[in-house]
Amino acid sequence: MFYRRQGQLNFACAQCHDDNWKEKLAGSPITQAHPSGYPIYRLEWQNVGSLQRRLRNCIAGMRVDNYPLGANELVDLELFLMWRASGMPMEAPAVRP
């Protein structure tokens, strides 16, 4: 799913998080999608949120029909991102804009 193009914009997660991770989107840095800070306090949410919440937020920005919390697609994407971050130190709970 990370590499699959989808939605009205025909984007894949990898286009931002692999190809443009040093850039900014709407003033916020694009990260390499390492989930080592979750659960996370996001200033825009004014609350602590899960990785699935963040994934759904990102997917909505790609203009994709979103998946419900707990959907297999989100669980698979979470697992893949955790695998990518293996060996990285945990920084949870983290704070992000």
Side-chain angles (χ1 to χ4, degrees):
M1 186 171 160
F2 189 80
Y3 298 100
R4 185 178 75 215
R5 290 176 176 266
Q6 53 186 330
Q8 289 180 331
L9 301 177
N10 196 32
F11 281 162
C13 304
Q15 285 179 271
C16 284
H17 297 286
D18 281 354
D19 300 344
N20 296 297
W21 66 270
K22 293 180 182 177
E23 306 298 326
K24 290 189 176 198
L25 180 64
S28 294
I30 298 173
T31 67
Q32 289 181 296
H34 295 133
S36 56
Y38 287 87
I40 197 166
Y41 183 90
R42 291 192 58 94
L43 299 176
E44 69 176 291
W45 298 339
Q46 292 292 299
N47 205 342
V48 174
S50 67
L51 178 55
Q52 282 200 15
R53 181 177 180 184
R54 181 67 189 114
L55 294 174
R56 286 174 42 85
N57 186 266
C58 207
I59 288 168
M62 293 166 51
R63 298 188 186 158
V64 175
D65 288 335
N66 223 324
Y67 305 100
L69 287 172
N72 288 338
E73 293 86 353
L74 293 177
V75 173
D76 290 348
L77 191 51
E78 268 187 310
L79 179 61
F80 175 73
L81 295 176
M82 290 296 199
W83 170 80
R84 279 172 51 113
S86 62
M88 294 184 72
M90 289 296 296
E91 57 174 314
V95 177
R96 299 287 187 273

